[in-house]
């Protein structure tokens, strides 16, 4: 395929994949969890798409087709495709989150090395693609520099999506993120209610990190409370302010604090009505499928089963404000199973979302034990997994009477789904 043919083929196939995903029962697609999954045989197609796109982007063959020798005549592009076409290839692969990692890097490197040839507004598509791929690139800060003078000229909805992407990519501490922070603060007073609610909690926590900016955001939410449909992002911001900025919390007006309390109580009541309490897995039960009602991930399920086989009583999916804990062991000890989506692509660095989550849990007073997926799945036997847990878990988990008492395994069933003692008081 030439550039034009490949571009249209990838766009059409991306549309079909998204349409297929929308028709799948919730939680039943092949990629359960945060991995979206692909239709049958689509994985091989997107691998071929990715390699061909990389060839056109860099002007050379990067991967021979199966059965072909290196440097097959006729397959090497004579010239590179345009930078706009390279960006379109990257967008298509990011929209379905599929394709070879090496090809993604070729496309991203081509775009980041030649940002000066792109329209500043096209920087939004670069940020959005990298955010969808969870790709933390060392040169991603160049996009912020490219957009530094163009933030205010973006369409409001596009600007909000850009802010969300910057926060998810953990770029808020970059020097060139300051113009974005200033623009977001000044835009809050005139932003439409719909776009204000599109601003995700991680963007508020990362980009509105000054006291006056956070206060302005909460005041705007109060003014537009009738437009508030999905309140979890606001609950996360409230918890963030309460735990990490106590002086700011105490300085908020009584009206704002009562509004946040109403939102929190309504969410807690809804959660108690829609969830039932979760039991532990029996030590002898071998579960081969990921049960979304009792676990947050496949890794969570495996760790829980192993703890049960070791005789450690625990509770799964316990609510802590707007967050749901993975495993609650001793009174103030929790185990967080960190699957692949809590890390940037092919990296051991936590995403900004996962990092903020752990920071707030620690601020609640919990001792957080993290089980990374790349360490757990390297363990070759159940004995190795047990030894790994013995080394990671604190003594309170083995002797809970030192700091508290485990509830009997049969008691949690039917008990109201409450908040752990680590939840901050006095709101």
């Amino acid at each position: 395929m030439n550039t034009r043919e490949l571009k249209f083929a990838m766009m059409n196939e991306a549309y079909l994949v998204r349409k297929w995903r929308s028709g799948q029962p919730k939680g039943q697609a092949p990629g359960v969890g945060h991995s979206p999954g692909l239709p049958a045989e689509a994985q091989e197609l997107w691998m071929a798409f990715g390699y061909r796109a990389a060839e056109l982007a860099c002007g050379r063959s990067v991967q021979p087709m199966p059965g072909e020798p290196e440097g097959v005549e006729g397959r090497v592009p004579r010239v590179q495709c345009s930078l706009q076409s390279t960006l379109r290839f990257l967008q298509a692969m990011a929209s379905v989150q599929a394709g070879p990692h090496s090809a993604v890097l070729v496309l991203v490197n081509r775009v980041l090395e030649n940002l000066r040839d792109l329209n500043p507004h096209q920087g939004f598509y670069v940020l959005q693609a990298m955010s969808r791929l969870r790709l933390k690139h060392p040169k991603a800060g160049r996009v912020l520099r490219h957009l530094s003078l163009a933030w205010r000229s973006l369409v409001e909805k596009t600007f909000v999506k850009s802010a969300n992407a910057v926060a998810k990519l953990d770029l808020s501490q970059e020097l060139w993120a300051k113009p974005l922070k200033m623009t977001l603060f000044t835009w809050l007073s005139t932003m439409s209610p719909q776009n204000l609610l599109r601003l995700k909690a991680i963007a508020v926590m990362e980009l509105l990190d000054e006291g006056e900016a956070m206060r302005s955001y909460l005041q705007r939410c109060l003014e537009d409370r009738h437009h508030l449909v999905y309140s979890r992002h606001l609950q996360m911001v409230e918890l963030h302010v309460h735990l990490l900025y106590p002086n700011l919390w105490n300085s908020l007006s009584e009206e704002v604090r009562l509004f946040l309390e109403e939102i929190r109580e309504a969410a807690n009541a809804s959660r108690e009505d829609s969830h039932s309490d979760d039991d532990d897995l029996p030590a002898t039960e071998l579960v081969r499928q990921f049960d979304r009602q009792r676990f947050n991930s496949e890794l969570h399920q495996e760790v829980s089963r192993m703890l049960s086989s070791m005789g450690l009583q625990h509770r799964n999916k316990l609510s802590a404000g707007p967050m749901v804990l993975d495993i609650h062991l001793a009174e103030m000890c929790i185990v967080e199973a960190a699957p692949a989506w809590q890390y940037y692509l092919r990296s051991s660095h936590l995403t900004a979302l996962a990092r903020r989550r752990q920071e707030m849990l620690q601020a609640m007073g919990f001792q957080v034990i993290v089980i990374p997926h790349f360490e757990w799945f390297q363990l070759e036997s159940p004995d190795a997994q047990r030894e790994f847990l013995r080394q990671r878990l604190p003594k309170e988990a083995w002797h809970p009477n030192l700091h508290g008492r485990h509830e009997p395994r049969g008691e949690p069933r039917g008990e109201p789904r409450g908040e752990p003692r680590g939840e901050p008081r006095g709101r």
Side-chain angles (χ1 to χ4, degrees):
M1 288 183 172
N2 59 30
T3 299
R4 186 174 183 276
E5 293 169 342
L6 182 65
K7 185 164 52 178
F8 280 102
M10 293 178 71
M11 292 170 60
N12 289 335
E13 288 295 328
Y15 168 76
L16 294 176
V17 170
R18 293 194 297 270
K19 183 178 179 181
W20 174 83
R21 287 174 182 168
S22 65
Q24 297 298 306
K26 186 177 181 181
Q28 300 301 314
V32 176
H34 285 57
S35 179
L38 291 171
E41 300 182 358
Q43 183 69 34
E44 184 178 355
L45 174 62
W46 280 96
M47 292 291 285
F49 276 157
Y51 286 130
R52 181 56 178 167
E55 290 176 354
L56 293 169
C58 65
R60 58 182 174 82
S61 178
V62 296
Q63 178 76 13
M65 295 297 288
E68 292 181 344
E70 292 284 351
V72 178
E73 184 178 357
R75 291 191 62 244
V76 180
R78 293 182 179 180
V79 294
Q80 289 180 312
C81 66
S82 68
L83 196 58
Q84 286 74 14
S85 295
T86 301
L87 183 56
R88 183 66 71 180
F89 293 151
L90 180 62
Q91 283 182 274
M93 295 178 68
S95 68
V96 297
Q97 300 176 39
H101 180 66
S102 59
V104 170
L105 290 181
V106 168
L107 299 177
V108 171
N109 286 333
R110 168 86 192 280
V111 170
L112 294 181
E113 290 292 342
N114 298 276
L115 274 175
R116 62 185 180 278
D117 297 327
L118 284 178
N119 186 305
H121 294 181
Q122 291 177 310
F124 157 70
Y125 300 110
V126 182
L127 290 172
Q128 189 179 48
M130 295 177 67
S131 175
R132 287 175 173 173
L133 292 167
R134 299 193 331 275
L135 180 62
K136 187 174 176 62
H137 197 282
K139 297 180 180 179
R142 295 184 179 184
V143 186
L144 298 182
R145 181 177 63 185
H146 190 62
L147 284 164
S148 59
L149 299 178
W151 290 119
R152 191 65 186 182
S153 61
L154 294 177
V155 177
E156 190 175 85
K157 182 178 179 180
T158 300
F159 173 78
V160 170
K161 288 185 175 181
S162 299
N164 291 335
V166 169
K168 290 178 181 179
L169 291 171
D170 205 10
L171 297 174
S172 62
Q173 300 305 313
E174 292 277 341
L175 175 64
W176 290 101
K178 290 184 178 180
L180 171 60
K181 294 181 180 181
M182 295 171 58
T183 305
L184 179 59
F185 174 55
T186 57
W187 212 327
L188 280 176
S189 59
T190 58
M191 190 176 290
S192 69
Q194 293 78 11
N195 288 322
L196 179 71
L197 297 178
R198 288 190 179 101
L199 199 62
K200 298 188 182 297
I202 187 62
V204 176
M205 292 186 285
E206 292 286 318
L207 300 176
L208 298 177
D209 51 355
E210 299 290 338
E212 190 59 34
M214 187 69 73
R215 186 182 291 105
S216 177
Y217 168 77
L218 294 174
Q219 184 65 37
R220 273 302 314 273
C221 290
L222 171 63
E223 296 171 1
D224 296 324
R225 62 190 305 171
H226 299 297
H227 298 273
L228 191 64
V229 177
Y230 182 65
S231 64
R232 186 176 184 276
H233 291 299
L234 186 57
Q235 295 174 66
M236 292 293 291
V237 172
E238 180 208 6
L239 185 61
H240 168 76
V241 174
H242 190 100
L243 292 173
L244 303 179
Y245 296 92
N247 293 333
L248 172 60
W249 174 261
N250 293 330
S251 68
L252 293 176
S253 67
E254 189 67 21
E255 187 179 15
V256 172
R257 295 170 69 175
L258 287 175
F259 160 65
L260 295 175
E261 183 179 357
E262 292 174 4
I263 292 293
R264 181 179 358 107
E265 291 177 352
N268 289 339
S270 175
R271 191 158 47 237
E272 290 175 3
D273 291 340
S274 60
H275 292 283
S276 60
D277 219 348
D278 299 298
D279 259 349
D280 302 319
L281 284 174
T284 57
E285 183 179 356
L286 294 179
V287 180
R288 299 301 183 185
Q289 295 180 349
F290 168 28
D291 185 352
R292 295 177 64 90
Q293 297 298 320
R294 304 172 69 183
F295 305 103
N296 293 323
S297 65
E298 182 182 357
L299 175 61
H300 176 195
Q301 178 176 268
E302 290 197 13
V303 174
S304 176
R305 187 177 70 235
M306 189 56 62
L307 290 174
S308 295
S309 71
M310 297 167 67
L312 288 176
Q313 299 179 15
H314 58 280
R315 301 179 68 185
N316 291 306
K317 294 188 71 171
L318 192 67
S319 295
M323 296 184 289
V324 178
L325 308 178
D326 284 349
I327 298 172
H328 183 224
L329 277 174
E331 184 176 4
M332 294 302 292
C333 178
I334 60 175
V335 177
E336 285 288 293
W341 65 74
Q342 291 193 12
Y343 295 87
Y344 291 109
L345 186 65
R346 302 267 182 118
S347 169
S348 59
H349 295 286
L350 286 168
T351 64
L353 286 164
R355 174 176 54 80
R356 284 289 185 179
R357 171 186 169 88
Q358 292 184 16
E359 287 177 358
M360 286 191 283
L361 290 175
Q362 291 169 353
M364 287 181 182
F366 286 114
Q367 182 179 4
V368 182
I369 311 301
V370 181
I371 308 296
H373 71 98
F374 50 83
E375 294 185 16
W376 180 263
F377 289 119
Q378 285 182 347
L379 303 173
E380 297 179 352
S381 66
D383 290 338
Q385 294 174 345
R386 293 188 185 94
E387 183 61 27
F388 177 83
L389 291 174
R390 288 191 186 97
Q391 294 177 1
R392 285 294 181 95
L393 298 180
K395 61 182 180 180
E396 293 84 16
W398 304 96
H399 305 286
N401 290 332
L402 292 176
H403 295 273
R405 180 179 61 85
H406 276 304
E407 295 176 274
R409 187 173 294 180
E411 286 185 11
R413 182 175 295 278
E415 178 188 351
R417 192 177 178 87
E419 298 179 348
R421 291 179 60 183
E423 178 71 11
R425 304 295 184 183
R427 289 186 177 179

